[in-house]
PDB file of all heavy atoms in Angstrom:
ATOM      1  N   ASP A 263       1.817  37.804  80.445  1.00 97.00           N
ATOM      2  CA  ASP A 263       0.649  36.931  80.176  1.00 97.00           C
ATOM      3  C   ASP A 263      -0.133  36.558  81.549  1.00 97.00           C
ATOM      4  O   ASP A 263      -1.391  36.297  81.470  1.00 97.00           O
ATOM      5  CB  ASP A 263       1.059  35.678  79.433  1.00 97.00           C
ATOM      6  CG  ASP A 263       1.480  35.810  78.037  1.00 97.00           C
ATOM      7  OD1 ASP A 263       1.216  36.918  77.487  1.00 97.00           O
ATOM      8  OD2 ASP A 263       2.126  34.939  77.473  1.00 97.00           O
ATOM      9  N   ASP A 264       0.513  36.692  82.578  1.00 97.00           N
ATOM     10  CA  ASP A 264      -0.098  36.378  83.842  1.00 97.00           C
ATOM     11  C   ASP A 264      -0.940  37.629  84.483  1.00 97.00           C
ATOM     12  O   ASP A 264      -1.858  37.481  85.316  1.00 97.00           O
ATOM     13  CB  ASP A 264       0.896  35.986  84.966  1.00 97.00           C
ATOM     14  CG  ASP A 264       1.603  34.746  84.535  1.00 97.00           C
ATOM     15  OD1 ASP A 264       0.990  33.859  84.098  1.00 97.00           O
ATOM     16  OD2 ASP A 264       2.950  34.853  84.709  1.00 97.00           O
ATOM     17  N   ILE A 265      -0.708  38.867  83.954  1.00 98.00           N
ATOM     18  CA  ILE A 265      -1.314  40.014  84.405  1.00 98.00           C
ATOM     19  C   ILE A 265      -2.847  40.110  83.992  1.00 98.00           C
ATOM     20  O   ILE A 265      -2.954  39.708  82.740  1.00 98.00           O
ATOM     21  CB  ILE A 265      -0.560  41.246  83.992  1.00 98.00           C
ATOM     22  CG1 ILE A 265       1.031  41.041  84.407  1.00 98.00           C
ATOM     23  CG2 ILE A 265      -1.222  42.489  84.544  1.00 98.00           C
ATOM     24  CD1 ILE A 265       1.100  41.015  85.858  1.00 98.00           C
ATOM     25  N   LEU A 266      -3.677  40.549  84.841  1.00 98.00           N
ATOM     26  CA  LEU A 266      -5.038  40.531  84.426  1.00 98.00           C
ATOM     27  C   LEU A 266      -5.334  41.579  83.408  1.00 98.00           C
ATOM     28  O   LEU A 266      -4.638  42.699  83.319  1.00 98.00           O
ATOM     29  CB  LEU A 266      -5.896  41.040  85.689  1.00 98.00           C
ATOM     30  CG  LEU A 266      -5.989  39.810  86.780  1.00 98.00           C
ATOM     31  CD1 LEU A 266      -6.569  40.506  88.059  1.00 98.00           C
ATOM     32  CD2 LEU A 266      -6.670  38.645  86.371  1.00 98.00           C
ATOM     33  N   THR A 267      -6.278  41.379  82.614  1.00 98.00           N
ATOM     34  CA  THR A 267      -6.659  42.271  81.595  1.00 98.00           C
ATOM     35  C   THR A 267      -8.012  42.931  82.130  1.00 98.00           C
ATOM     36  O   THR A 267      -9.047  42.180  82.403  1.00 98.00           O
ATOM     37  CB  THR A 267      -6.950  41.693  80.276  1.00 98.00           C
ATOM     38  OG1 THR A 267      -5.694  41.131  79.735  1.00 98.00           O
ATOM     39  CG2 THR A 267      -7.491  42.526  79.174  1.00 98.00           C
ATOM     40  N   HIS A 268      -8.091  44.312  81.943  1.00 98.00           N
ATOM     41  CA  HIS A 268      -9.271  44.868  82.436  1.00 98.00           C
ATOM     42  C   HIS A 268     -10.565  44.751  81.564  1.00 98.00           C
ATOM     43  O   HIS A 268     -10.401  45.095  80.335  1.00 98.00           O
ATOM     44  CB  HIS A 268      -9.027  46.380  82.646  1.00 98.00           C
ATOM     45  CG  HIS A 268     -10.153  47.115  83.256  1.00 98.00           C
ATOM     46  ND1 HIS A 268     -10.790  46.747  84.285  1.00 98.00           N
ATOM     47  CD2 HIS A 268     -10.716  48.382  82.932  1.00 98.00           C
ATOM     48  CE1 HIS A 268     -11.782  47.650  84.587  1.00 98.00           C
ATOM     49  NE2 HIS A 268     -11.699  48.659  83.823  1.00 98.00           N
ATOM     50  N   ASP A 269     -11.587  44.293  82.183  1.00 98.00           N
ATOM     51  CA  ASP A 269     -12.758  44.126  81.350  1.00 98.00           C
ATOM     52  C   ASP A 269     -13.939  45.098  82.127  1.00 98.00           C
ATOM     53  O   ASP A 269     -14.574  44.615  83.028  1.00 98.00           O
ATOM     54  CB  ASP A 269     -13.290  42.721  81.397  1.00 98.00           C
ATOM     55  CG  ASP A 269     -14.565  42.621  80.522  1.00 98.00           C
ATOM     56  OD1 ASP A 269     -15.044  43.531  79.994  1.00 98.00           O
ATOM     57  OD2 ASP A 269     -15.017  41.327  80.280  1.00 98.00           O
ATOM     58  N   ALA A 270     -14.015  46.222  81.662  1.00 98.00           N
ATOM     59  CA  ALA A 270     -15.056  47.208  82.360  1.00 98.00           C
ATOM     60  C   ALA A 270     -16.352  46.883  81.947  1.00 98.00           C
ATOM     61  O   ALA A 270     -17.399  47.281  82.542  1.00 98.00           O
ATOM     62  CB  ALA A 270     -14.740  48.638  81.851  1.00 98.00           C
ATOM     63  N   HIS A 271     -16.604  45.966  80.811  1.00 98.00           N
ATOM     64  CA  HIS A 271     -17.946  45.620  80.464  1.00 98.00           C
ATOM     65  C   HIS A 271     -18.477  44.188  80.984  1.00 98.00           C
ATOM     66  O   HIS A 271     -19.634  43.937  80.630  1.00 98.00           O
ATOM     67  CB  HIS A 271     -18.001  45.578  78.898  1.00 98.00           C
ATOM     68  CG  HIS A 271     -17.418  46.733  78.267  1.00 98.00           C
ATOM     69  ND1 HIS A 271     -17.642  47.974  78.691  1.00 98.00           N
ATOM     70  CD2 HIS A 271     -16.805  46.959  76.963  1.00 98.00           C
ATOM     71  CE1 HIS A 271     -17.139  48.850  77.790  1.00 98.00           C
ATOM     72  NE2 HIS A 271     -16.566  48.267  76.821  1.00 98.00           N
ATOM     73  N   GLU A 272     -17.724  43.742  81.935  1.00 98.00           N
ATOM     74  CA  GLU A 272     -18.247  42.434  82.569  1.00 98.00           C
ATOM     75  C   GLU A 272     -19.428  42.840  83.547  1.00 98.00           C
ATOM     76  O   GLU A 272     -19.367  43.710  84.400  1.00 98.00           O
ATOM     77  CB  GLU A 272     -17.088  41.786  83.358  1.00 98.00           C
ATOM     78  CG  GLU A 272     -17.540  40.779  84.347  1.00 98.00           C
ATOM     79  CD  GLU A 272     -18.124  39.583  83.615  1.00 98.00           C
ATOM     80  OE1 GLU A 272     -17.585  39.087  82.608  1.00 98.00           O
ATOM     81  OE2 GLU A 272     -19.378  39.199  84.007  1.00 98.00           O
ATOM     82  N   ASN A 273     -20.479  42.150  83.303  1.00 98.00           N
ATOM     83  CA  ASN A 273     -21.766  42.317  84.097  1.00 98.00           C
ATOM     84  C   ASN A 273     -21.552  42.134  85.666  1.00 98.00           C
ATOM     85  O   ASN A 273     -22.045  42.812  86.448  1.00 98.00           O
ATOM     86  CB  ASN A 273     -22.823  41.555  83.437  1.00 98.00           C
ATOM     87  CG  ASN A 273     -23.590  42.237  82.227  1.00 98.00           C
ATOM     88  OD1 ASN A 273     -23.797  43.422  82.137  1.00 98.00           O
ATOM     89  ND2 ASN A 273     -23.770  41.521  81.302  1.00 98.00           N
ATOM     90  N   ASP A 274     -20.855  41.087  85.885  1.00 97.00           N
ATOM     91  CA  ASP A 274     -20.577  40.747  87.223  1.00 97.00           C
ATOM     92  C   ASP A 274     -19.663  41.628  87.872  1.00 97.00           C
ATOM     93  O   ASP A 274     -18.482  41.875  87.325  1.00 97.00           O
ATOM     94  CB  ASP A 274     -19.983  39.351  87.299  1.00 97.00           C
ATOM     95  CG  ASP A 274     -19.749  38.732  88.774  1.00 97.00           C
ATOM     96  OD1 ASP A 274     -19.529  39.509  89.666  1.00 97.00           O
ATOM     97  OD2 ASP A 274     -20.075  37.476  89.063  1.00 97.00           O
ATOM     98  N   ASN A 275     -20.034  42.432  88.890  1.00 97.00           N
ATOM     99  CA  ASN A 275     -19.253  43.514  89.389  1.00 97.00           C
ATOM    100  C   ASN A 275     -18.208  43.049  90.534  1.00 97.00           C
ATOM    101  O   ASN A 275     -17.623  43.863  91.114  1.00 97.00           O
ATOM    102  CB  ASN A 275     -20.141  44.621  89.904  1.00 97.00           C
ATOM    103  CG  ASN A 275     -20.969  44.323  91.219  1.00 97.00           C
ATOM    104  OD1 ASN A 275     -20.689  43.230  91.771  1.00 97.00           O
ATOM    105  ND2 ASN A 275     -21.833  45.126  91.586  1.00 97.00           N
ATOM    106  N   THR A 276     -18.076  41.718  90.793  1.00 97.00           N
ATOM    107  CA  THR A 276     -17.180  41.299  91.728  1.00 97.00           C
ATOM    108  C   THR A 276     -15.793  41.915  91.622  1.00 97.00           C
ATOM    109  O   THR A 276     -15.205  42.431  92.632  1.00 97.00           O
ATOM    110  CB  THR A 276     -17.065  39.721  91.844  1.00 97.00           C
ATOM    111  OG1 THR A 276     -18.405  39.255  91.857  1.00 97.00           O
ATOM    112  CG2 THR A 276     -16.186  39.328  92.905  1.00 97.00           C
ATOM    113  N   LEU A 277     -15.165  41.691  90.576  1.00 98.00           N
ATOM    114  CA  LEU A 277     -13.822  42.218  90.292  1.00 98.00           C
ATOM    115  C   LEU A 277     -13.762  43.857  90.222  1.00 98.00           C
ATOM    116  O   LEU A 277     -12.799  44.266  90.624  1.00 98.00           O
ATOM    117  CB  LEU A 277     -13.084  41.629  88.945  1.00 98.00           C
ATOM    118  CG  LEU A 277     -11.645  41.967  88.718  1.00 98.00           C
ATOM    119  CD1 LEU A 277     -10.933  41.594  89.926  1.00 98.00           C
ATOM    120  CD2 LEU A 277     -11.220  41.368  87.471  1.00 98.00           C
ATOM    121  N   HIS A 278     -14.741  44.333  89.594  1.00 98.00           N
ATOM    122  CA  HIS A 278     -14.845  45.932  89.584  1.00 98.00           C
ATOM    123  C   HIS A 278     -14.830  46.397  91.021  1.00 98.00           C
ATOM    124  O   HIS A 278     -14.187  47.364  91.290  1.00 98.00           O
ATOM    125  CB  HIS A 278     -16.143  46.262  88.919  1.00 98.00           C
ATOM    126  CG  HIS A 278     -16.203  45.968  87.460  1.00 98.00           C
ATOM    127  ND1 HIS A 278     -17.347  45.838  86.862  1.00 98.00           N
ATOM    128  CD2 HIS A 278     -15.193  45.626  86.666  1.00 98.00           C
ATOM    129  CE1 HIS A 278     -17.023  45.467  85.483  1.00 98.00           C
ATOM    130  NE2 HIS A 278     -15.841  45.354  85.381  1.00 98.00           N
ATOM    131  N   ASN A 279     -15.443  45.701  91.928  1.00 98.00           N
ATOM    132  CA  ASN A 279     -15.478  46.218  93.413  1.00 98.00           C
ATOM    133  C   ASN A 279     -14.297  46.026  94.038  1.00 98.00           C
ATOM    134  O   ASN A 279     -13.744  46.870  94.789  1.00 98.00           O
ATOM    135  CB  ASN A 279     -16.648  45.464  94.229  1.00 98.00           C
ATOM    136  CG  ASN A 279     -16.958  45.904  95.428  1.00 98.00           C
ATOM    137  OD1 ASN A 279     -17.535  47.087  95.619  1.00 98.00           O
ATOM    138  ND2 ASN A 279     -16.508  45.405  96.527  1.00 98.00           N
ATOM    139  N   MET A 280     -13.492  44.924  93.700  1.00 98.00           N
ATOM    140  CA  MET A 280     -12.228  44.728  94.264  1.00 98.00           C
ATOM    141  C   MET A 280     -11.233  45.727  93.776  1.00 98.00           C
ATOM    142  O   MET A 280     -10.435  46.311  94.513  1.00 98.00           O
ATOM    143  CB  MET A 280     -11.716  43.239  93.973  1.00 98.00           C
ATOM    144  CG  MET A 280     -12.477  42.141  94.628  1.00 98.00           C
ATOM    145  SD  MET A 280     -12.328  40.560  93.811  1.00 98.00           S
ATOM    146  CE  MET A 280     -10.433  40.307  94.226  1.00 98.00           C
ATOM    147  N   LEU A 281     -11.267  46.152  92.499  1.00 98.00           N
ATOM    148  CA  LEU A 281     -10.491  47.005  91.984  1.00 98.00           C
ATOM    149  C   LEU A 281     -10.755  48.483  92.635  1.00 98.00           C
ATOM    150  O   LEU A 281      -9.810  49.206  92.896  1.00 98.00           O
ATOM    151  CB  LEU A 281     -10.644  47.121  90.406  1.00 98.00           C
ATOM    152  CG  LEU A 281     -10.107  45.971  89.711  1.00 98.00           C
ATOM    153  CD1 LEU A 281     -10.662  46.036  88.225  1.00 98.00           C
ATOM    154  CD2 LEU A 281      -8.667  45.958  89.648  1.00 98.00           C
TER     155      LEU A 281
END
Side-chain angles (χ1 to χ4, degrees):
D263 288 344
D264 298 314
I265 304 302
L266 293 170
T267 299
H268 182 44
D269 184 0
H271 304 327
E272 169 58 51
N273 280 314
D274 188 321
N275 68 11
T276 303
L277 186 56
H278 296 158
N279 192 68
M280 293 167 65
L281 291 167

